[in-house]
Amino acid sequence: MIYMVNSFLSVVGVFFLLYLLIYSTYLLSTVLFGAAGLYQRSRRIKIRNELKHDYYVPVSILVPAYNEAVTIVDSIKSLLDLEYRLFEIIIIDDGSIDDTAKKVIEEFGLLETERPIRMRIKCKAAKKLYEGTAGKTRITLISKENGGKGDALNMGINASEYPYFLCIDADSMLQYDSLEKIVQPVLESDEVVAVGGLIRIEQCIILENGRVMGYRLPWHPVIGMQVMEYDRSFLASRMLMDKYNGNLIISGAFGLFKKEIVVACGGYAPDTVGEDMELVVKMHVFCSNNNIPYNIKYEPNAICWSQAPTTLRDLIRQRRRWYTGLIQAMMKFRQMFGRMRFGAAGTLSYSYYLLYELLSPVIELLGIVSIAVALWAGLLNISFMISFLLLYILFGVILTMTAFFQRIYTQGLRIKRSDVVRSVYMCMLETLFFSFILAFTRMLALLGYRRNRSKWGSIKRTKMNEDALTYNKGTQES
Amino acid sequence: MINIVSAVIYFYIYICVIVLLFNILYIFFLKQTDKRYKKLSEVWLKSVGSQMSGLRGGNHVSEEHRKLLTKKLKSLNELISYNDAVEQLRKINSEDVELYLHENISAFMELTGIYEKKEAMQRGYYAYLMSVYYRGKAEETGNMWSMLISYMDDSTIYCRENVLQAVYASGSIDAVEMAFLKLCSMNEFHHDKLLSDGLMTFQGDKERLALRLWSIRGRLRQEQVTAIVQFITRNVPEHFEEEFCSTLNNAGTDLELKLAILRYFRSHYFEPVHAELIRFMKMSEKGDVEIAALSASALERYPGADTIEALKEAVKDRNWYVRHNAASSLSILCTHSELDDVVASGDRFASDMMKYVLAKKERIMGVTV
């Protein structure tokens, strides 16, 4: 018996050491490659190596909204501050039960019209359609039956006029140059079919006329930890995957797409809670299967400020949805796994998401069970286990700090000394607690997958710019 | 095994600590660099300022100053600081700066050769500066432009675009032709939007440029020819009607080029193409939807009973864009009452589209009034 347990633990031990080794190597690579990429980009722009033009391609901005009465008007106003010549805004009210539509109609003086919509992608019916203009920008509001975010976006695509569309969350704000920056990769290559922008946390800033008026790292632990996580996990890893056209996610909060390709793919899936990842993976599969040369880009200079959950409950709810969306997309396109036909997206990226995201709760559970078995069999070297854990935590803290400071200097940000102290504190907090919270959330999501696979859940919203004042009280002098 | 993993993690921590320290030191270094740039700019400000004072007094730029330029501006940091100083002085007196730069053409000619050997990003920056410094100075700057065009070899899209910007700014038709041919020979994609917008900034005779570029269209890539048509449409629409008409009728013409030519005929009336536009609009059934939709839109400029009859038929087309554009053209060519038959027709798609377009027109006119 003991022999069997011993053999089992030996196999598990080797597996975990390899697992950890690959993961550490991946994390280190993302941070180093990410930093190199950011440095190159900032240097390039500093010495005028960019495609700066008065006119770019016209873009339709789609804003799906469900019960977003608190933030929708500010969000649209931030879009009107964009310094971009030709774009239209389409708000899709997905059957809200609050005053979302009313607020938009009143604020922008929209009038009801009978505009026929070309239904190229199937979606729930429109109830009413309103149109108006703000300056030279056309604003359209479509009130439709509730069908989920994907369904609302499909309606927006059907109603859009221009060849490229940008999807943005109703609780997000764009910088004045975000649209210009996210469109630039399209002019660089005719193979670009989608571009993802950088999502950053809105509670750190105050945005006035599309311009950031001071940056502070909040003391609020839930927000602070997310700031660190966004820098290390999202920015760095997406920049690495961008190098080999392997990004499987463009955040639903800010992404530009070539309409014809999306329509050809069948648009967003209305029956998933991770419609953003589902679409991008679908585009990889569609273009590869049809031998269409394509490129899915990531542009970190195009910045979108998005509200992060402020309570642990909301955060768990959000992450549970993200994980459920991940399961749905990975399962749906499992034919990608290991197939050379899908390039690095199918081999490297899919494998990473499978092993280190999708299966992580199962692997973590296996780890816990193994520890329990080893303890029972008296084979656990507790002092070694603790020292190894501490070593790994130390690596995590230093890596997160490295990622944070790299972004600070490569993007030319100025932070105060107090922010440095905060960042160190948040890095430690993020590594010590956040990763465990995430592991717990993923476990919950996996266990409750069947029950929650179509649930979105709601997150408490606050008015734009108020968050920064709330979470940085007395520190807005910068 | 475990020892190996521990050792690797220690190694990774070591790398992270090194990178972290580098980051922190680099943040301080950046602060110092800003100060250094400022200092360098001040030195250039004095040097260039004194030369400009001399110019105002009727003197020429000294030979020492030219030597200083060719010696110091080889360094990118010096070049950035120098440009900063020049731009500061330009804000005070742009005419003196123009004169000063004109006097230094020989120094910059030499530097153009030096920068040819540098990396693409630096070449791109240098080309950008030439586009600002020697705008419309094709004759005075001699073969500087052909040297700049060679920067496009083994470069990035940013460098190529900056070189093209410099070439347009020079006002030299020969240089633009050379740059377009070079771009074509490199077989590199360059978005037609970038090309057509760039051509609009050309500082010389735009009509002659259009004629020259159109004459070499057979040697260019498809997106370049499309860009030339877009440039002609917006700048010099005369003299190209016949040529464009025959290109449009050529079955082998690329779709994007055909669409660009249809846009030309939408903004530039040419009666002989009238019947062709009606014929193209009917091509929706054969699957040429984009051609049909754009023809329906162009017909708003071609009034006549045959146009209206064809448009009323097109409003019933299966394709949304053809219906929409036909209804928009009808709303421009006909009065409300002349369209009653479309609104009351049994075709619900045609009727809905016509009603929407008419309501929109009324709303816009109401707002305008």
Side-chain angles (χ1 to χ4, degrees):
Chain A
M1 180 70 176
I2 287 290
Y3 174 75
M4 275 174 68
V5 170
N6 215 343
S7 306
F8 165 74
L9 289 176
S10 298
V11 172
V12 168
V14 170
F15 169 76
F16 271 99
L17 288 173
L18 283 174
Y19 188 74
L20 213 62
L21 193 66
I22 295 168
Y23 190 54
S24 312
T25 309
Y26 170 77
L27 286 181
L28 186 73
S29 313
T30 60
V31 170
L32 296 182
F33 277 102
L38 282 176
Y39 173 73
Q40 276 292 100
R41 272 184 158 80
S42 70
R43 181 166 174 260
R44 176 167 66 71
I45 290 167
K46 190 178 173 186
I47 57 171
R48 305 281 186 160
N49 276 246
E50 72 173 325
L51 303 177
K52 199 104 182 124
H53 268 244
D54 286 341
Y55 293 91
Y56 295 94
V57 289
V59 175
S60 302
I61 302 180
L62 312 183
V63 189
Y66 179 70
N67 292 344
E68 297 283 0
V70 179
T71 56
I72 189 75
V73 170
D74 284 337
S75 181
I76 298 168
K77 281 183 178 169
S78 93
L79 296 178
L80 294 170
D81 286 329
L82 286 169
E83 290 183 2
Y84 198 86
R85 297 273 182 154
L86 191 56
F87 66 97
E88 63 169 344
I89 300 170
I90 301 173
I91 305 119
I92 310 103
D93 175 25
D94 192 34
S96 297
I97 47 173
D98 68 356
D99 285 341
T100 302
K102 194 178 161 208
K103 293 236 172 187
V104 176
I105 294 165
E106 284 176 2
E107 183 68 31
F108 302 102
L110 306 185
L111 295 171
E112 191 177 342
T113 69
E114 298 291 327
R115 177 168 150 200
I117 296 174
R118 188 183 182 198
M119 301 299 275
R120 298 175 75 187
I121 309 172
K122 201 176 161 195
C123 63
K124 291 262 173 82
K127 289 192 281 191
K128 281 184 178 172
L129 199 142
Y130 304 85
E131 285 180 322
T133 51
K136 286 181 180 172
T137 307
R138 190 169 81 181
I139 300 177
T140 304
L141 169 70
I142 304 169
S143 278
K144 66 178 274 292
E145 291 169 23
N146 182 265
K149 190 179 173 187
D151 193 72
L153 284 164
N154 286 340
M155 171 59 85
I157 295 168
N158 288 330
S160 65
E161 189 179 340
Y162 299 132
Y164 288 87
F165 72 85
L166 181 97
C167 58
I168 173 179
D169 280 350
D171 62 340
S172 301
M173 295 193 292
L174 296 184
Q175 268 180 215
Y176 71 99
D177 60 350
S178 300
L179 192 47
E180 179 187 348
K181 299 282 181 199
I182 204 165
V183 162
Q184 282 174 350
V186 168
L187 296 182
E188 288 171 19
S189 164
D190 57 348
E191 290 180 5
V192 173
V193 293
V195 188
L198 172 64
I199 311 294
R200 293 180 65 190
I201 289 175
E202 184 254 342
Q203 283 96 332
C204 299
I205 54 137
I206 287 187
L207 202 69
E208 277 180 24
N209 301 321
R211 282 164 171 82
V212 177
M213 311 303 285
Y215 179 90
R216 293 308 307 265
L217 186 63
W219 269 120
H220 194 292
V222 176
I223 300 171
M225 285 190 297
Q226 288 177 83
V227 172
M228 295 300 151
E229 186 211 13
Y230 273 49
D231 280 346
R232 195 203 57 206
S233 302
F234 302 155
L235 173 63
S237 75
R238 285 180 196 179
M239 285 195 71
L240 176 68
M241 288 184 183
D242 185 54
K243 288 217 173 287
Y244 58 83
N245 193 25
N247 263 315
L248 296 187
I249 301 179
I250 285 181
S251 168
F254 188 38
L256 180 86
F257 296 88
K258 193 173 190 174
K259 190 162 79 181
E260 282 311 309
I261 294 282
V262 174
V263 170
C265 288
Y268 286 93
D271 56 351
T272 168
V273 293
E275 76 301 320
D276 45 3
M277 184 178 187
E278 198 271 349
L279 178 67
V280 176
V281 181
K282 190 157 61 182
M283 286 171 85
H284 276 291
V285 172
F286 177 82
C287 293
S288 302
N289 282 345
N290 292 288
N291 291 324
I292 299 170
Y294 76 102
N295 212 327
I296 292 172
K297 298 294 291 178
Y298 180 64
E299 179 49 65
N301 289 320
I303 297 169
C304 170
W305 297 94
S306 189
Q307 271 191 13
T310 52
T311 64
L312 210 52
R313 206 165 139 246
D314 279 350
L315 179 68
I316 290 174
R317 204 175 281 173
Q318 182 201 50
R319 295 311 165 97
R320 196 153 65 179
R321 179 165 56 75
W322 286 9
Y323 185 73
T324 307
L326 175 87
I327 299 175
Q328 289 169 335
M330 299 285 288
M331 293 297 286
K332 192 169 177 179
F333 298 103
R334 54 186 173 273
Q335 75 267 30
M336 273 183 92
F337 181 53
R339 294 264 175 88
M340 297 304 283
R341 181 154 54 97
F342 300 104
T347 47
L348 297 178
S349 301
Y350 193 95
S351 306
Y352 166 77
Y353 277 102
L354 184 70
L355 281 171
Y356 291 99
E357 299 281 346
L358 185 72
L359 294 178
S360 64
V362 179
I363 292 169
E364 280 153 10
L365 191 66
L366 175 69
I368 293 166
V369 170
S370 305
I371 291 170
V373 170
L375 193 65
W376 168 76
L379 295 167
L380 189 66
N381 184 341
I382 295 177
S383 64
F384 176 78
M385 187 188 83
I386 291 171
S387 60
F388 193 77
L389 181 70
L390 288 176
L391 176 69
Y392 197 69
I393 287 173
L394 178 70
F395 172 61
V397 171
I398 295 176
L399 191 78
T400 308
M401 279 168 60
T402 310
F404 179 76
F405 284 104
Q406 262 164 353
R407 183 174 62 79
I408 295 300
Y409 88 76
T410 50
Q411 297 192 325
L413 298 174
R414 306 260 169 199
I415 55 165
K416 297 194 159 201
R417 277 191 193 146
S418 58
D419 278 335
V420 176
V421 177
R422 285 181 198 200
S423 64
V424 174
Y425 166 68
M426 292 301 171
C427 284
M428 294 175 78
L429 216 57
E430 199 260 348
T431 316
L432 285 172
F433 297 108
F434 198 64
S435 47
F436 296 105
I437 293 169
L438 285 186
F440 172 69
T441 308
R442 281 198 285 251
M443 195 86 80
L444 280 183
L446 189 67
L447 292 172
Y449 175 69
R450 282 192 175 276
R451 199 175 58 246
N452 297 318
R453 62 186 159 184
S454 55
K455 275 189 195 163
W456 260 76
S458 60
I459 289 170
K460 188 175 169 276
R461 302 280 186 227
T462 49
K463 270 186 93 64
M464 304 289 190
N465 282 338
E466 275 186 3
D467 291 351
L469 288 168
T470 310
Y471 300 113
N472 289 310
K473 246 174 211 164
T475 59
Q476 286 308 311
E477 71 279 8
S478 62
Chain B
M1 178 74 180
I2 199 133
N3 289 336
I4 296 171
V5 176
S6 298
V8 170
I9 293 179
Y10 274 121
F11 176 63
Y12 286 175
I13 290 176
Y14 171 73
I15 295 175
C16 280
V17 170
I18 299 275
V19 175
L20 189 61
L21 284 175
F22 170 78
N23 288 341
I24 293 166
L25 289 175
Y26 198 80
I27 290 170
F28 288 112
F29 172 74
L30 276 183
K31 280 188 183 167
Q32 294 305 313
T33 310
D34 285 352
K35 282 182 195 162
R36 225 179 82 222
Y37 271 125
K38 227 177 201 174
K39 240 181 199 170
L40 279 175
S41 278
E42 277 164 18
V43 173
W44 280 115
L45 213 52
K46 272 185 199 156
S47 172
V48 176
S50 76
Q51 294 298 320
M52 280 168 58
S53 307
L55 286 173
R56 275 194 294 272
N59 298 325
H60 290 283
V61 167
S62 70
E63 199 50 44
E64 289 76 40
H65 185 73
R66 283 200 200 101
K67 277 185 185 159
L68 186 76
L69 292 184
T70 47
K71 190 180 163 198
K72 290 268 184 184
L73 298 187
K74 286 174 192 169
S75 146
L76 183 70
N77 288 346
E78 290 278 1
L79 192 64
I80 293 170
S81 310
Y82 173 80
N83 181 53
D84 189 42
V86 168
E87 290 309 318
Q88 281 185 53
L89 290 165
R90 199 191 287 276
K91 281 178 197 154
I92 301 162
N93 190 335
S94 64
E95 278 179 24
D96 282 2
V97 169
E98 287 298 316
L99 189 60
Y100 162 80
L101 289 170
H102 186 260
E103 288 262 323
N104 285 307
I105 284 174
S106 59
F108 280 102
M109 294 273 275
E110 204 178 322
L111 282 166
T112 308
I114 292 166
Y115 270 85
E116 194 178 2
K117 296 173 192 81
K118 302 220 174 196
E119 56 149 340
M121 227 189 269
Q122 294 196 33
R123 276 181 272 152
Y125 182 62
Y126 185 81
Y128 161 78
L129 291 187
M130 293 307 101
S131 74
V132 180
Y133 289 177
Y134 296 111
R135 192 166 282 267
K137 298 271 168 52
E139 283 175 22
E140 295 93 319
T141 43
N143 70 339
M144 177 195 274
W145 307 105
S146 57
M147 274 169 24
L148 276 180
I149 289 165
S150 69
Y151 282 19
M152 293 205 281
D153 283 324
D154 188 26
S155 70
T156 60
I157 185 166
Y158 314 107
C159 177
R160 285 199 295 277
E161 178 62 11
N162 283 2
V163 169
L164 286 169
Q165 291 292 338
V167 168
Y168 305 137
S170 75
S172 162
I173 292 172
D174 291 336
V176 177
E177 180 186 349
M178 203 193 296
F180 266 52
L181 288 171
K182 174 90 181 173
L183 201 59
C184 181
S185 70
M186 288 162 59
N187 211 19
E188 292 273 6
F189 171 80
H190 208 84
H191 204 289
D192 59 280
K193 184 125 195 71
L194 293 176
L195 293 171
S196 63
D197 285 357
L199 285 170
M200 299 248 289
T201 63
F202 181 67
Q203 293 295 305
D205 186 334
K206 285 183 179 166
E207 192 171 334
R208 278 185 51 220
L209 176 70
L211 285 166
R212 173 80 71 86
L213 290 179
W214 183 248
S215 72
I216 59 158
R217 66 187 179 281
R219 296 159 65 190
L220 300 176
R221 278 168 65 99
Q222 169 264 318
E223 72 262 16
Q224 290 178 297
V225 182
T226 306
I228 294 165
V229 174
Q230 288 164 354
F231 165 65
I232 290 169
T233 305
R234 284 189 270 174
N235 287 275
V236 279
E238 313 298 329
H239 316 304
F240 292 94
E241 301 91 340
E242 298 280 356
E243 295 255 21
F244 282 4
C245 193
S246 67
T247 309
L248 192 62
N249 282 314
N250 184 344
T253 303
D254 174 81
L255 175 68
E256 287 300 322
L257 181 57
K258 273 190 180 173
L259 295 176
I261 293 176
L262 283 170
R263 285 189 194 98
Y264 168 87
F265 285 121
R266 185 174 61 186
S267 62
H268 188 72
Y269 179 79
F270 183 58
E271 182 50 35
V273 88
H274 186 164
E276 288 304 309
L277 291 176
I278 292 175
R279 187 172 69 82
F280 282 137
M281 189 170 65
K282 290 176 181 168
M283 282 166 73
S284 169
E285 292 153 17
K286 291 178 192 165
D288 289 335
V289 175
E290 284 165 301
I291 297 271
L294 208 48
S295 302
S297 177
L299 279 168
E300 70 176 43
R301 298 274 313 236
Y302 298 82
D306 52 348
T307 301
I308 289 167
E309 190 188 336
L311 285 171
K312 281 186 176 176
E313 202 50 47
V315 149
K316 296 172 191 164
D317 196 277
R318 286 176 59 187
N319 184 273
W320 190 94
Y321 287 107
V322 178
R323 286 204 303 279
H324 178 266
N325 292 357
S328 296
S329 293
L330 279 172
S331 74
I332 290 165
L333 296 171
C334 304
T335 62
H336 204 304
S337 60
E338 284 169 336
L339 296 171
D340 284 346
D341 54 335
V342 183
V343 172
S345 74
D347 188 320
R348 195 169 63 84
F349 288 120
S351 170
D352 283 355
M353 186 60 83
M354 201 67 246
K355 275 195 260 182
Y356 166 68
V357 168
L358 288 172
K360 190 174 157 189
K361 187 184 169 191
E362 273 171 23
R363 204 170 64 237
I364 291 167
M365 286 173 76
V367 170
T368 310
V369 171

